[in-house]
Amino acid sequence: MATHGKKQDNRSPADWWLFVLGFVLFAAVGFWATPAILYAEKPQPFQFSHKLHMEQVGEGCQSCHAFREDGSYTGIPSLEKCKECHGEEPMGETPEEKVFSKDYVAKNKPIPWQVYSKQPPCVFFSHAAHVANAGLECASCHGDHGDTEKLRTYEYNRLTGYSRDIWGWSLIPLDGPPKRMKMDDCAKCHRDNGVRDACFVCHK
Amino acid sequence: MNWDRRAFVKFAVGAVVGLNASPLVPKLMDDVAIWTQNWSWVPDPETGAVAFAKSINPATQTGVKARLVKARLSGQRVIRVEGDPEHPLSQGGVLAADAAAPQQSYYQAMRVDAPMVRKEGVRGRVAAEEAVQKVAAKLKALAQAGKASQVAIIADDPFSVTGEMLMRLAAAYGTPNLVFMPSAKQTLALAGGLMFGQGDIGFDLANATYTVSFGTPLLEGFGAPVAVRKAFAAWRKDPMHRATLVQVEPRSSVTASQADLWLACKPGTEGVLAYAMANLMIQAGKVDSAAANAAGFEQFKALLAGEYSLEKASQASGVPADKIKAVAEGFMKAPKAVAVCGPGNSGDPGRLFDFMAVLALNAVKGNLGKPGGLVLRQGVAWKALGGPLDLPGAPRLDGGGKRIMGSYSAYDLAAAALKGQPYPLEALIVVGCNPAFAGPQAKVMRQLIDNTPFVACVSEFMDETAELADVVLPKASFLECWGDCATPYGAAQSFYGVHQPLVSALPQTKSAGDWLLAVAKLLGGKAAEALPFAEAKEALAARAEGLGGLEDLAAKGYWMQEKPAYGFSFKTPSGRLELAPSALGKPAAPAAGVAPSKERPLLMAGIPSLRTGAGGAPMSPYQVKILDEITLAHKDQLVVEINPQTAHAMHLGEGDMVEIASAAGKINARLHLYHGAAPGMVFVPVGLGHTAFGMYLKNKGANFFEAVEVAADPGSGLPQWALTPVSIAKAGGVSHV
């Protein structure tokens, strides 16, 4: 028994701090590495001020992001919509507008915007049902996008190709809209408001 | 601190736990799952404004609109097919066979997606040129050998542009043997022709307030089924002005169950009841002047008074006299009453006597050319594809010329060709129909295909006929190609519908018309001259010239006579209504029909259903799923209906597996005892029991047409299979799996 007791005494102390070190270090690597590995940036074609435009138009978001006659939603406005106000000559002084006039309006080329809120094609989403029928504000899902002076950096998921806004900018999925636009958020809102949340409501 | 093994393990475990506590793993797992959505072969719908294009399903004549992405009208996937609310016939309604089914059928594994040729007994895919060349070479060789008349063509619809192209091709090539699948349109045209001198007639159901349907499945596949159901829905809409529907037939069918009154008559006595009602009206002095002045009215009156008195009719039909009287009075008093005849429940063209009795009842009522009555149609003013062609001199195999109005009959053609009288067939071409399944006497048609040295077919699916053919040419579906269809059976207004390509056709499929043009081109000579079109669309455009042009027609989807034409005229030899038609010399009377015998004591009739077969089109896989246990038990057993009394007398019970045998063939089925079935009869669902079409349709029940025995209608000479004498015996086996 004495021998056994001696052996125990000689063993190294319970270095639990090494466990903690490993945990903290690699959890940090996980938190740091995940977005670094997974997300890449894509530039927008040119800068755009929603704030400036909101001051110029009369009907808020709907002035440019409108419903078609059949109730479907135009989403990002087409170049034709921009051309209702903008000509080949810039209206203001900003370098961004010069790029817009020269490279797009003059060449009649559609603007390849990166769309932050673009959902996967397997999702059917009706803006009419949510905005016109349920009376949701645009900001409920899209946040304060309409008040921003600059377009923030667009990041996309290298693996899935979808905008980072869908999963949300926080890696821990605790947020809801407008910080995140995942299926769970749609389902939760449907449940909370007593709306059917079966698969086929959105996945046709 | 010593960096020993234990220290490393602690650190490593901490690292693993730490890494797992970070979002790396769950995030990557989720993203991998989402990544699968973006594989290149996963369909990705186009975005854009929604647009609609009009079309029509020629099998059911339901007007549909396809929802698609704007500016991509062809060469793409349709988002979905839905009812067209602006369509005057179907008014936004669809059948199971119209909307989801064509889309499902489009991708069905049993579609023929490439031309096929049988070489040394084995069928294999070949290039389109080779398949067409094979057909053309065979036809050419036969023509050169003076055997052109020994080529027969069986097709689905004589009124479509494909039908007209076939008529031209057959005449130019030199065969008189072009026949179409039997239809009640033939019988109605015959009856109308005999009595009114006009065969283009319809029933103004939408405006009728009292309708008596004589043995025709008004709600289960009559004319354009959706249009008839819309008319029925309108009858029931306003409870204060509810229209009355009386159904006369031996089985409590869907129509009978929806009717206000069901006259459960003995099989084959529908016409007798129509005559009895006309007799009651004559006796009551309620005869319209046109009928009173009709040629042969006195003869007609005497016949009815003698043979179709209330008592005699009640005895013959088994319907209580008071019920016959009540319906006759209701019919007489109703301001807008119409009596309707049509295809039988077995899908046969109907008995000429029944049709003539029903037309006579309408004439006595005086509803000819009146709202809610029997109306003349304006006709469809399409332009002929070319000048008239000389018809070949050889006698027709189906003996068409021997019948009153020279009607075609695929069954008679087959029977004559099999006997070799007056000559056998050397080649058979089947276009857009499936006679090896739908017969009408399936076995005879299969024998014809087996005995004919060369068989080619143009088919959308690898169906029973295609499986037996030497050459199979893949036919495009109505969503993939240009085509048309004309006035549905019984419609009050003339109608013409056009369909156009809305989805990319499978690469090697073509419309039936395009395949015909390819063959005609290789045949050269008169055949090529008769069809001087580069593509079938040109032929359709030529036809549509008389109706305002193809472009406008395609945009609207149809042409339709503005409103029913009220007013009536007779084009008979006497210039009057002929109740004793000149061609017959006497009023129509029933000849001895099919009767049960000691060996075959029961009469078999079909149960029509829009679920099991609308317009002859095969069910789509999902339609099989919606069949209930009293149609298809345990997914594969056909269920037939029999009256409990009849069953008990034969020592049969619910769920017994039986063999139903006629002189023509037999089928196995499971018995369902049903009080709504007339005693002495067995009722069999029509449209099940395919032996082709792969796992979803193959061997699901048994085929009604295997047991059908065709007889010639004594009046019209047309094939008749409303009733078949059969025997029933226990087949053993269990009724469940």
PDB file of all heavy atoms in Angstrom, chain B residues 98-114:
ATOM      1  N   ASP B  98     -56.039  16.805 -66.261  1.00  0.00           N
ATOM      2  CA  ASP B  98     -55.681  18.005 -67.004  1.00  0.00           C
ATOM      3  C   ASP B  98     -54.496  18.774 -66.442  1.00  0.00           C
ATOM      4  O   ASP B  98     -53.722  19.373 -67.184  1.00  0.00           O
ATOM      5  CB  ASP B  98     -56.865  18.986 -67.028  1.00  0.00           C
ATOM      6  CG  ASP B  98     -58.037  18.439 -67.781  1.00  0.00           C
ATOM      7  OD1 ASP B  98     -57.798  17.833 -68.827  1.00  0.00           O
ATOM      8  OD2 ASP B  98     -59.174  18.600 -67.309  1.00  0.00           O
ATOM      9  N   ALA B  99     -54.380  18.826 -65.132  1.00  0.00           N
ATOM     10  CA  ALA B  99     -53.432  19.761 -64.550  1.00  0.00           C
ATOM     11  C   ALA B  99     -52.131  19.078 -64.150  1.00  0.00           C
ATOM     12  O   ALA B  99     -51.124  19.183 -64.844  1.00  0.00           O
ATOM     13  CB  ALA B  99     -54.072  20.458 -63.367  1.00  0.00           C
ATOM     14  N   ALA B 100     -52.167  18.356 -63.057  1.00  0.00           N
ATOM     15  CA  ALA B 100     -50.927  17.741 -62.588  1.00  0.00           C
ATOM     16  C   ALA B 100     -50.536  16.539 -63.435  1.00  0.00           C
ATOM     17  O   ALA B 100     -49.355  16.278 -63.651  1.00  0.00           O
ATOM     18  CB  ALA B 100     -51.072  17.331 -61.134  1.00  0.00           C
ATOM     19  N   ALA B 101     -51.544  15.805 -63.948  1.00  0.00           N
ATOM     20  CA  ALA B 101     -51.238  14.555 -64.647  1.00  0.00           C
ATOM     21  C   ALA B 101     -50.355  14.757 -65.884  1.00  0.00           C
ATOM     22  O   ALA B 101     -49.381  14.037 -66.058  1.00  0.00           O
ATOM     23  CB  ALA B 101     -52.520  13.822 -65.013  1.00  0.00           C
ATOM     24  N   PRO B 102     -50.662  15.735 -66.785  1.00  0.00           N
ATOM     25  CA  PRO B 102     -49.792  15.877 -67.948  1.00  0.00           C
ATOM     26  C   PRO B 102     -48.364  16.215 -67.556  1.00  0.00           C
ATOM     27  O   PRO B 102     -47.418  15.779 -68.199  1.00  0.00           O
ATOM     28  CB  PRO B 102     -50.420  17.032 -68.726  1.00  0.00           C
ATOM     29  CG  PRO B 102     -51.813  17.101 -68.278  1.00  0.00           C
ATOM     30  CD  PRO B 102     -51.812  16.638 -66.849  1.00  0.00           C
ATOM     31  N   GLN B 103     -48.213  16.983 -66.476  1.00  0.00           N
ATOM     32  CA  GLN B 103     -46.857  17.323 -66.059  1.00  0.00           C
ATOM     33  C   GLN B 103     -46.133  16.094 -65.523  1.00  0.00           C
ATOM     34  O   GLN B 103     -44.960  15.901 -65.761  1.00  0.00           O
ATOM     35  CB  GLN B 103     -46.895  18.413 -64.987  1.00  0.00           C
ATOM     36  CG  GLN B 103     -47.119  19.782 -65.622  1.00  0.00           C
ATOM     37  CD  GLN B 103     -47.330  20.845 -64.579  1.00  0.00           C
ATOM     38  OE1 GLN B 103     -48.284  20.816 -63.852  1.00  0.00           O
ATOM     39  NE2 GLN B 103     -46.430  21.780 -64.507  1.00  0.00           N
ATOM     40  N   GLN B 104     -46.896  15.263 -64.796  1.00  0.00           N
ATOM     41  CA  GLN B 104     -46.271  14.053 -64.277  1.00  0.00           C
ATOM     42  C   GLN B 104     -45.973  13.080 -65.423  1.00  0.00           C
ATOM     43  O   GLN B 104     -44.927  12.452 -65.453  1.00  0.00           O
ATOM     44  CB  GLN B 104     -47.176  13.395 -63.243  1.00  0.00           C
ATOM     45  CG  GLN B 104     -46.416  12.448 -62.356  1.00  0.00           C
ATOM     46  CD  GLN B 104     -47.273  11.870 -61.250  1.00  0.00           C
ATOM     47  OE1 GLN B 104     -48.477  11.896 -61.317  1.00  0.00           O
ATOM     48  NE2 GLN B 104     -46.629  11.328 -60.255  1.00  0.00           N
ATOM     49  N   SER B 105     -46.923  13.016 -66.362  1.00  0.00           N
ATOM     50  CA  SER B 105     -46.724  12.114 -67.497  1.00  0.00           C
ATOM     51  C   SER B 105     -45.533  12.551 -68.340  1.00  0.00           C
ATOM     52  O   SER B 105     -44.854  11.738 -68.948  1.00  0.00           O
ATOM     53  CB  SER B 105     -47.975  12.096 -68.378  1.00  0.00           C
ATOM     54  OG  SER B 105     -49.065  11.646 -67.630  1.00  0.00           O
ATOM     55  N   TYR B 106     -45.271  13.847 -68.363  1.00  0.00           N
ATOM     56  CA  TYR B 106     -44.174  14.396 -69.172  1.00  0.00           C
ATOM     57  C   TYR B 106     -42.851  13.750 -68.785  1.00  0.00           C
ATOM     58  O   TYR B 106     -42.020  13.454 -69.615  1.00  0.00           O
ATOM     59  CB  TYR B 106     -44.128  15.910 -68.946  1.00  0.00           C
ATOM     60  CG  TYR B 106     -43.004  16.640 -69.630  1.00  0.00           C
ATOM     61  CD1 TYR B 106     -43.035  16.852 -71.006  1.00  0.00           C
ATOM     62  CD2 TYR B 106     -41.927  17.137 -68.914  1.00  0.00           C
ATOM     63  CE1 TYR B 106     -42.016  17.534 -71.630  1.00  0.00           C
ATOM     64  CE2 TYR B 106     -40.906  17.819 -69.533  1.00  0.00           C
ATOM     65  CZ  TYR B 106     -40.948  18.016 -70.885  1.00  0.00           C
ATOM     66  OH  TYR B 106     -39.933  18.694 -71.514  1.00  0.00           O
ATOM     67  N   TYR B 107     -42.694  13.547 -67.490  1.00  0.00           N
ATOM     68  CA  TYR B 107     -41.431  12.977 -67.017  1.00  0.00           C
ATOM     69  C   TYR B 107     -41.511  11.470 -66.807  1.00  0.00           C
ATOM     70  O   TYR B 107     -40.594  10.879 -66.273  1.00  0.00           O
ATOM     71  CB  TYR B 107     -41.041  13.630 -65.685  1.00  0.00           C
ATOM     72  CG  TYR B 107     -40.798  15.096 -65.818  1.00  0.00           C
ATOM     73  CD1 TYR B 107     -41.703  16.022 -65.345  1.00  0.00           C
ATOM     74  CD2 TYR B 107     -39.654  15.559 -66.458  1.00  0.00           C
ATOM     75  CE1 TYR B 107     -41.483  17.382 -65.483  1.00  0.00           C
ATOM     76  CE2 TYR B 107     -39.436  16.910 -66.608  1.00  0.00           C
ATOM     77  CZ  TYR B 107     -40.344  17.819 -66.111  1.00  0.00           C
ATOM     78  OH  TYR B 107     -40.120  19.147 -66.260  1.00  0.00           O
ATOM     79  N   GLN B 108     -42.677  10.881 -67.179  1.00  0.00           N
ATOM     80  CA  GLN B 108     -42.853   9.474 -66.850  1.00  0.00           C
ATOM     81  C   GLN B 108     -41.843   8.591 -67.563  1.00  0.00           C
ATOM     82  O   GLN B 108     -41.529   8.819 -68.736  1.00  0.00           O
ATOM     83  CB  GLN B 108     -44.271   9.045 -67.217  1.00  0.00           C
ATOM     84  CG  GLN B 108     -44.872   8.155 -66.168  1.00  0.00           C
ATOM     85  CD  GLN B 108     -45.852   7.190 -66.760  1.00  0.00           C
ATOM     86  OE1 GLN B 108     -45.776   6.889 -67.927  1.00  0.00           O
ATOM     87  NE2 GLN B 108     -46.760   6.707 -65.972  1.00  0.00           N
ATOM     88  N   ALA B 109     -41.385   7.610 -66.837  1.00  0.00           N
ATOM     89  CA  ALA B 109     -40.376   6.718 -67.407  1.00  0.00           C
ATOM     90  C   ALA B 109     -40.897   5.978 -68.622  1.00  0.00           C
ATOM     91  O   ALA B 109     -40.124   5.545 -69.476  1.00  0.00           O
ATOM     92  CB  ALA B 109     -39.921   5.728 -66.345  1.00  0.00           C
ATOM     93  N   MET B 110     -42.230   5.809 -68.718  1.00  0.00           N
ATOM     94  CA  MET B 110     -42.773   5.022 -69.816  1.00  0.00           C
ATOM     95  C   MET B 110     -43.032   5.848 -71.067  1.00  0.00           C
ATOM     96  O   MET B 110     -43.640   5.375 -72.007  1.00  0.00           O
ATOM     97  CB  MET B 110     -44.057   4.320 -69.375  1.00  0.00           C
ATOM     98  CG  MET B 110     -43.845   3.272 -68.314  1.00  0.00           C
ATOM     99  SD  MET B 110     -42.409   2.236 -68.605  1.00  0.00           S
ATOM    100  CE  MET B 110     -42.939   1.354 -70.068  1.00  0.00           C
ATOM    101  N   ARG B 111     -42.615   7.097 -71.073  1.00  0.00           N
ATOM    102  CA  ARG B 111     -42.750   7.861 -72.311  1.00  0.00           C
ATOM    103  C   ARG B 111     -41.781   7.317 -73.342  1.00  0.00           C
ATOM    104  O   ARG B 111     -40.673   6.888 -73.011  1.00  0.00           O
ATOM    105  CB  ARG B 111     -42.434   9.334 -72.059  1.00  0.00           C
ATOM    106  CG  ARG B 111     -43.643  10.079 -71.594  1.00  0.00           C
ATOM    107  CD  ARG B 111     -43.552  11.519 -71.922  1.00  0.00           C
ATOM    108  NE  ARG B 111     -43.628  11.789 -73.346  1.00  0.00           N
ATOM    109  CZ  ARG B 111     -43.609  13.002 -73.839  1.00  0.00           C
ATOM    110  NH1 ARG B 111     -43.521  14.031 -73.049  1.00  0.00           N
ATOM    111  NH2 ARG B 111     -43.683  13.198 -75.139  1.00  0.00           N
ATOM    112  N   VAL B 112     -42.209   7.343 -74.591  1.00  0.00           N
ATOM    113  CA  VAL B 112     -41.295   6.940 -75.657  1.00  0.00           C
ATOM    114  C   VAL B 112     -40.437   8.167 -75.934  1.00  0.00           C
ATOM    115  O   VAL B 112     -40.952   9.209 -76.314  1.00  0.00           O
ATOM    116  CB  VAL B 112     -42.068   6.547 -76.932  1.00  0.00           C
ATOM    117  CG1 VAL B 112     -41.123   6.006 -77.973  1.00  0.00           C
ATOM    118  CG2 VAL B 112     -43.143   5.538 -76.612  1.00  0.00           C
ATOM    119  N   ASP B 113     -39.142   8.072 -75.692  1.00  0.00           N
ATOM    120  CA  ASP B 113     -38.317   9.259 -75.863  1.00  0.00           C
ATOM    121  C   ASP B 113     -37.393   9.188 -77.084  1.00  0.00           C
ATOM    122  O   ASP B 113     -36.643  10.107 -77.346  1.00  0.00           O
ATOM    123  CB  ASP B 113     -37.503   9.540 -74.592  1.00  0.00           C
ATOM    124  CG  ASP B 113     -36.613   8.371 -74.218  1.00  0.00           C
ATOM    125  OD1 ASP B 113     -36.671   7.360 -74.932  1.00  0.00           O
ATOM    126  OD2 ASP B 113     -35.886   8.466 -73.225  1.00  0.00           O
ATOM    127  N   ALA B 114     -37.478   8.080 -77.805  1.00  0.00           N
ATOM    128  CA  ALA B 114     -36.680   7.987 -79.025  1.00  0.00           C
ATOM    129  C   ALA B 114     -37.371   7.022 -79.984  1.00  0.00           C
ATOM    130  O   ALA B 114     -38.081   6.124 -79.546  1.00  0.00           O
ATOM    131  CB  ALA B 114     -35.285   7.475 -78.697  1.00  0.00           C
TER     132      ALA B 114
END
